[in-house]
Structures are given as C-alpha cells and as structure tokens.
Amino acid sequence: MSSWLGPVAVSLATFVFCQAASSLRQVLCEMVSSPPASPMFTVPPARRIFGKKVLTLYHSTAHGKSILSSGRLLRGVSGPLGGGIYFAQDPQTSRSSARSRGWMVTARVHVGISKHVRLQSRVDTSPHTFKGLHREGYDSIRLTFAHALGDEYVVFNFDQVELVSVERDTA
C-alpha cells in the first residue's frame, strides 16, 4: 500500500468519528478539522503561482483504481476547454457533467487566481494549457455553463491536486 494513503485513511477515520454527536468529539474534531498534507505534493504547489486559494472539490471518474495506485489525478486529453482535470463544487454537479463514472474523488485543489470562462454548451472550444494560463497570470479556470447546476474548475497540472479520498460512487 502506498505511503500517501496514510493521511487519507486518517482523514477518513476523522470524518467518520466526527459524524457522531458529542461535545468531546466536537472539540477533538475542531482540533483536526483540516486534512493532513500529502507527502507527495504541497497545495498550493511549491512553484510560481498567482494566488493561494485552495478549495475542496469533486471529480467523477471511472479510473479510481489507477488513481489509488499512483496517488495522482492526471489530466485528460479532451474536454470543453481542452485536456485538463475538471472539478465540481459538489458531487451531484460532478456526476452530471462527467464523461465517466464509478468513482468519486474528493481533493484539495489549488485554484489560485481563476480565469472565468462562460460557455453555452459542452462542445470543445479553444483548448487552454497550463503554460497559456500562466502567461495570462492565472492558475486555473472557473467554468460556467449556461444551463448547469454549478461552476466547475479546471486545472492543468497534477501538482495542483491533493487527494483527500477516492471512493466507489454508488449514487
């Protein structure tokens, strides 16, 4: 089992423990409420960034086993804004916009300063890249669709993603 799973397991155990109502549990949960840092990455990354904003976001995928074995969430080859890693602010929005399903990834994502892009549909438009975004002074894209449940965020580099959990999605 990979060494990065240790913090994930502790975080999941903390979540389960904190669900039970008790004043002692509430105090303990407040003390450990932030997820542990991944030994593989620092979010925000230890490279040039434009902002420090980090959000807990969701990604639906069919590739949960490979993510668990590698400890990384890699960008796809296509999408409405090109090959990136697409996240939603809640699991429902992630499921409704995903091209593949079966696993739900919860992650701390460095979105930093986001470029806001509005689209009418999910048809691929002009592709964006990590280098292109950096040239413009952005870390990520906040994507809004005309008739969607909520905004999505797109990042283009795996070091912007710290895994919190990777679980089978039964919804």
Side-chain angles (χ1 to χ4, degrees):
M1 192 175 284
S2 299
S3 63
W4 71 271
L5 282 176
V8 172
V10 169
S11 181
L12 290 174
T14 302
F15 174 78
V16 171
F17 178 78
C18 292
Q19 296 307 302
S22 152
S23 58
L24 175 59
R25 283 190 177 125
Q26 285 178 328
V27 170
L28 292 172
C29 291
E30 287 173 12
M31 293 169 56
V32 294
S33 62
S34 60
S38 168
M40 292 180 75
F41 310 113
T42 58
V43 173
R47 61 171 161 74
R48 183 174 179 217
I49 58 173
F50 297 98
K52 295 185 178 184
K53 185 175 183 179
V54 175
L55 298 174
T56 299
L57 300 172
Y58 303 89
H59 177 85
S60 186
T61 183
H63 307 287
K65 287 183 182 179
S66 64
I67 295 167
L68 282 170
S69 67
S70 70
R72 292 182 177 179
L73 186 57
L74 301 176
R75 65 186 154 98
V77 294
S78 66
L81 297 175
I85 308 171
Y86 290 73
F87 290 94
Q89 295 174 323
D90 61 84
Q92 178 62 28
T93 303
S94 179
R95 284 183 203 102
S96 69
S97 62
R99 291 183 176 178
S100 65
R101 295 185 199 166
W103 295 80
M104 183 60 66
V105 176
T106 304
R108 292 181 67 236
V109 182
H110 169 250
V111 296
I113 296 177
S114 299
K115 178 179 183 176
H116 192 191
V117 174
R118 290 181 175 92
L119 295 178
Q120 293 300 314
S121 71
R122 291 198 164 275
V123 176
D124 287 6
T125 62
S126 59
H128 289 74
T129 64
F130 176 74
K131 286 182 182 179
L133 268 184
H134 260 234
R135 273 194 298 271
E136 295 178 51
Y138 297 105
D139 298 299
S140 66
I141 295 175
R142 189 178 106 214
L143 179 57
T144 302
F145 290 103
H147 302 289
L149 294 173
D151 289 349
E152 295 180 35
Y153 285 88
V154 186
V155 296
F156 295 90
N157 206 341
F158 68 85
D159 73 349
Q160 291 175 261
V161 179
E162 181 181 300
L163 298 175
V164 173
S165 68
V166 180
E167 302 173 334
R168 285 236 177 246
D169 190 5
T170 57

